């Protein structure tokens, strides 16, 4: 079998839509799982903004999601001469013709058709006119579409879609100003790039039948089509900014790891048995067009978070530090690489199992990023009274002699709570407040181990001094 070539062909709209990201992922998985190629084409014909911020947003999105494409990106606008060449080739072959009908004439044709109850599909009077009878005025080039029979899109997701040819018009290939239309550009580019599989949103299904006519006219082999249902929001309606984040960059900002996003997005419309959590390797091995469902997938943030949490937990500390560093470079510029390495690095072992996003990971590492004196939040401060302070005051000197292993710390704390005839819970809350300034933190023992003896005791003493001072 010849090599599989897929592509993602985004239009630069200013940001990378989550649906485009999912389509890119499907194409990437399909190619990568079969030793094929995955290409990128920027469909910039409408805007001609190849170097613009909108195009950069696409590159950034692809880079962040880890979807590396082969070779150089293709810019559709740069291929215009080739698109024109193909239109002229079809013209000389008699498979396309010059149409001199003005916009007004077309409108009149449609009005009359409407009045007479006929199809309003424009039938150009120039389709069969010999060149010798052509006037000297502007023209468009139209394809000679078949008028009988039917066109069948053999779609790997939607099944066979049959369209009667008498419902397809002679589509314009070149406009009166000589510029090629989008439909022609897509087909020529896909052919020239050697694309074997067109996997894209089902909003393009209608285009497929018309695009196929160009393949037939050029006698080019058809690609395999797979039109994937769109993504809906959590409310079951078409995804919009109101119902869920539509831009891939929003997800990056929310701190989702790219590996978790890939896992989640691949499950959005595709399934492999009951598998939910999987690695890239598994997804590449498993991904197939037959696993893509026919109904629209719904965004489910709970599931996204859950999967992302699993990915964070399974990432090695070194890789996680690298990912956090990338995240901080874009989103949390206040945290330096040095801080990440020296302060968060040692804490990862005890926090990564409990964080679903990088934001949560950084929240949970607050205790090691923050500096003395710790300012407890209101809830934490409310725990630092009476018995609690006495317990901490009793605990501090005992910690001076500790060997600072988790076991040792557990025993010492236990003894203090026994002395006060209470449970560990009564000591844990105030300790969290003293060490981290918060009530929800990693385990107190983990925090003590991560911070080390000197820093922990200093924090305990800070509170003692401050509170005794206040209470006097
Ligand atoms: N440029 C189109 C889009 O962004 C995709 C065209 C295609 O995949 O054929 O929706």
């Amino acid at each position: 079998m010849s090599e599989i070539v897929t592509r993602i062909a985004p239009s630069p709209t200013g940001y990378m839509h989550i649906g485009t990201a999912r389509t890119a992922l499907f194409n990437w998985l399909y190619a990568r799982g079969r030793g094929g190629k995955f290409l990128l084409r920027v469909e910039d014909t409408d805007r001609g903004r190849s170097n613009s911020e909108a195009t950069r947003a696409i590159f950034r999105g692809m880079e962040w999601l880890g979807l590396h494409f082969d070779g150089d990106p293709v810019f559709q606008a740069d291929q215009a001469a080739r698109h024109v060449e193909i239109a002229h080739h079809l013209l000389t072959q008699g498979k396309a013709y010059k149409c001199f009908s003005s916009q007004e004439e077309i409108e009149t044709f449609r009005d009359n058709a409407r009045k007479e109850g006929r199809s309003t599909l424009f039938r150009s009077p120039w389709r069969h006119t010999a060149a010798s009878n052509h006037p000297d005025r502007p023209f468009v080039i139209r394809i000679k579409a078949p008028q009988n029979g039917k066109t069948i899109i053999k779609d790997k997701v939607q099944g066979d879609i049959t369209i009667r040819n008498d419902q397809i018009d002679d589509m314009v290939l070149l406009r009166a100003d000589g510029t090629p239309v989008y439909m022609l550009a897509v087909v020529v580019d896909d052919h020239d790039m050697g694309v074997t599989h067109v996997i894209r949103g089902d909003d393009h299904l209608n285009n497929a039948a018309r695009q196929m006519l160009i393949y037939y006219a050029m006698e080019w082999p058809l690609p395999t089509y797979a039109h994937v249902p769109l993504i809906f929001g959590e409310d079951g309606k078409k995804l919009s900014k109101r119902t869920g984040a539509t831009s891939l960059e929003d997800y990056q900002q929310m701190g989702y790891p790219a590996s978790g996003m890939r896992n989640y997005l691949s499950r959005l419309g595709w399934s492999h048995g009951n598998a939910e959590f999987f690695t890239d390797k598994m997804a590449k091995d498993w991904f197939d067009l037959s696993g893509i469902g026919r109904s629209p997938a719904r965004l489910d943030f709970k599931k996204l978070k859950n999967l992302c949490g699993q990915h964070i937990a399974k990432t090695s500390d070194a890789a996680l530090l690298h990912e956090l560093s990338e995240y901080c470079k874009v989103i949390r510029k206040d945290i330096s690489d040095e801080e990440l390495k020296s302060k968060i690095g040692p804490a990862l072992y005890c926090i990564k199992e409990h964080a679903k996003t990088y934001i949560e990971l950084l929240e949970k590492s607050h205790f090691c990023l923050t500096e003395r004196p710790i300012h407890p939040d209101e809830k934490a401060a409310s725990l630092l009274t009476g018995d609690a302070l006495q317990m901490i005051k009793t605990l501090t000197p005992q910690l001076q002699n500790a060997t600072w292993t988790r076991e040792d710390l557990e025993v010492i704390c236990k003894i203090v709570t026994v002395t006060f005839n209470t449970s560990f819970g009564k000591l844990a809350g105030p300790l969290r407040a003293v060490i981290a300034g918060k009530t929800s933190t990693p385990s107190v023992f983990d925090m003590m181990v991560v911070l080390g003896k000197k820093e922990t005791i200093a924090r305990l003493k800070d509170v003692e001094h401050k509170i005794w001072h206040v209470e006097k």
Side-chain angles (χ1 to χ4, degrees):
M1 208 174 110
S2 59
E3 187 184 44
I4 285 179
V5 181
T6 65
R7 49 62 162 184
I8 181 71
S11 308
T13 54
Y15 66 100
M16 181 113 169
H17 193 277
I18 191 74
T20 308
R22 197 260 318 245
T23 305
L25 177 71
F26 280 12
N27 279 283
W28 180 78
L29 285 173
Y30 194 76
R32 293 286 178 261
R34 289 163 180 77
K37 281 206 180 95
F38 168 63
L39 310 177
L40 170 69
R41 178 172 73 239
V42 181
E43 304 215 309
D44 55 350
T45 44
D46 277 358
R47 300 162 191 88
R49 288 195 211 150
S50 351
N51 282 318
S52 70
E53 169 54 25
T55 302
R56 281 197 292 277
I58 294 169
F59 290 139
R60 274 202 309 272
M62 300 282 287
E63 176 69 27
W64 176 69
L65 201 54
L67 305 183
H68 302 294
F69 49 89
D70 294 299
D72 291 330
V74 171
F75 291 94
Q76 192 157 62
D78 294 349
Q79 318 302 318
R82 170 77 176 145
H83 307 148
V84 172
E85 178 194 324
I86 295 299
H88 283 287
H89 174 77
L90 289 172
L91 192 63
T92 52
Q93 294 279 304
K95 292 178 177 171
Y97 61 95
K98 293 181 181 175
C99 170
F100 297 86
S101 298
S102 65
Q103 211 44 51
E104 253 178 2
E105 285 164 344
I106 296 174
E107 286 310 319
T108 312
F109 175 95
R110 293 216 172 102
D111 285 347
N112 290 339
R114 228 172 268 125
K115 275 184 216 142
E116 291 160 23
R118 285 185 287 113
S119 155
T120 54
L121 220 59
F122 179 60
R123 295 292 179 206
S124 170
W126 300 98
R127 180 169 160 127
H128 301 292
T129 307
S132 51
N133 292 330
H134 282 174
D136 183 19
R137 55 172 208 256
F139 60 86
V140 298
I141 295 183
R142 290 182 183 273
I143 192 163
K144 267 188 199 163
Q147 295 182 329
N148 303 308
K150 51 200 176 187
T151 298
I152 303 173
I153 310 166
K154 294 195 162 301
D155 194 273
K156 290 287 179 198
V157 176
Q158 312 286 340
D160 285 1
I161 310 282
T162 305
I163 292 140
R164 278 182 15 222
N165 286 340
D166 62 8
Q167 292 177 340
I168 302 178
D169 64 354
D170 287 348
M171 162 175 80
V172 171
L173 300 176
L174 279 197
R175 299 184 189 93
D177 64 2
T179 56
V181 300
Y182 167 72
M183 297 284 254
L184 172 65
V186 171
V187 173
V188 175
D189 290 347
D190 277 341
H191 170 265
D192 288 358
M193 291 162 76
V195 171
T196 59
H197 289 69
V198 171
I199 306 168
R200 62 187 175 190
D202 68 3
D203 48 338
H204 288 282
L205 187 60
N206 282 336
N207 292 344
R210 307 174 96 209
Q211 292 174 356
M212 280 167 67
L213 298 183
I214 303 175
Y215 281 99
Y216 288 143
M218 289 303 297
E219 295 176 22
W220 285 340
L222 279 182
T224 299
Y225 285 111
H227 287 92
V228 183
L230 301 182
I231 301 173
F232 280 11
E234 288 197 307
D235 59 358
K237 297 197 183 115
K238 199 167 171 252
L239 193 61
S240 74
K241 294 232 177 209
R242 241 179 342 96
T243 54
T246 48
S247 159
L248 185 65
E249 258 165 315
D250 290 346
Y251 292 81
Q252 180 185 11
Q253 300 239 350
M254 287 186 268
Y256 293 110
S259 56
M261 276 305 283
R262 285 194 296 275
N263 186 164
Y264 177 69
L265 285 178
S266 61
R267 279 288 292 106
L268 216 45
W270 170 79
S271 57
H272 180 80
N274 294 325
E276 289 293 348
F277 173 87
F278 39 80
T279 60
D280 288 337
K281 162 95 179 67
M282 290 159 153
K284 284 179 203 164
D285 286 349
W286 294 341
F287 187 81
D288 205 355
L289 302 179
S290 58
I292 300 175
R294 278 199 208 179
S295 40
R298 263 194 206 210
L299 266 189
D300 179 345
F301 273 90
K302 217 171 134 200
K303 199 155 139 185
L304 167 65
K305 282 199 157 180
N306 188 294
L307 285 174
C308 285
Q310 293 186 57
H311 278 271
I312 288 179
K314 289 210 161 54
T315 306
S316 73
D317 287 4
L320 203 50
L321 272 183
H322 176 73
E323 288 174 16
L324 274 177
S325 155
E326 296 296 307
Y327 178 75
C328 289
K329 269 185 204 118
V330 183
I331 317 287
R332 286 290 306 270
K333 298 196 174 96
D334 56 313
I335 305 176
S336 70
D337 270 0
E338 183 43 39
E339 279 179 301
L340 280 177
K341 223 169 115 200
S342 64
K343 295 187 172 169
I344 298 187
L348 281 180
Y349 82 94
C350 66
I351 54 178
K352 70 180 185 184
E353 305 265 339
H354 310 285
K356 294 181 166 49
T357 62
Y358 298 145
I359 294 180
E360 286 184 17
L361 207 55
L362 293 175
E363 259 168 31
K364 290 188 191 306
S365 359
H366 172 82
F367 76 95
C368 39
L369 281 177
T370 186
E371 296 200 341
R372 289 176 48 215
I374 308 297
H375 297 296
D377 63 25
E378 226 176 294
K379 210 166 151 200
S382 73
L383 298 177
L384 297 175
T385 51
D387 270 4
L389 286 171
Q390 284 296 350
M391 274 196 279
I392 285 168
K393 207 185 168 209
T394 311
L395 176 65
T396 311
Q398 305 207 27
L399 290 176
Q400 304 275 15
N401 301 322
T403 53
W404 222 257
T405 61
R406 197 188 160 103
E407 296 70 33
D408 200 13
L409 295 170
E410 277 175 13
V411 171
I412 294 171
C413 287
K414 176 96 191 143
I415 292 171
V416 172
T417 52
V418 169
T419 315
F420 279 78
N421 198 17
T422 186
S423 65
F424 177 65
K426 290 273 184 295
L427 174 60
L431 265 180
R432 288 177 202 280
V434 172
I435 296 174
K438 291 180 181 295
T439 47
S440 166
T441 70
S443 119
V444 285
F445 302 116
D446 282 328
M447 289 197 292
M448 287 178 171
V449 169
V450 169
L451 291 172
K453 188 186 229 176
K454 206 165 145 233
E455 176 70 17
T456 306
I457 289 177
R459 289 187 188 196
L460 263 58
K461 282 192 167 163
D462 280 350
V463 169
E464 277 176 34
H465 291 142
K466 186 172 163 231
I467 303 293
W468 289 125
H469 181 75
V470 170
E471 284 206 345
K472 253 186 208 166

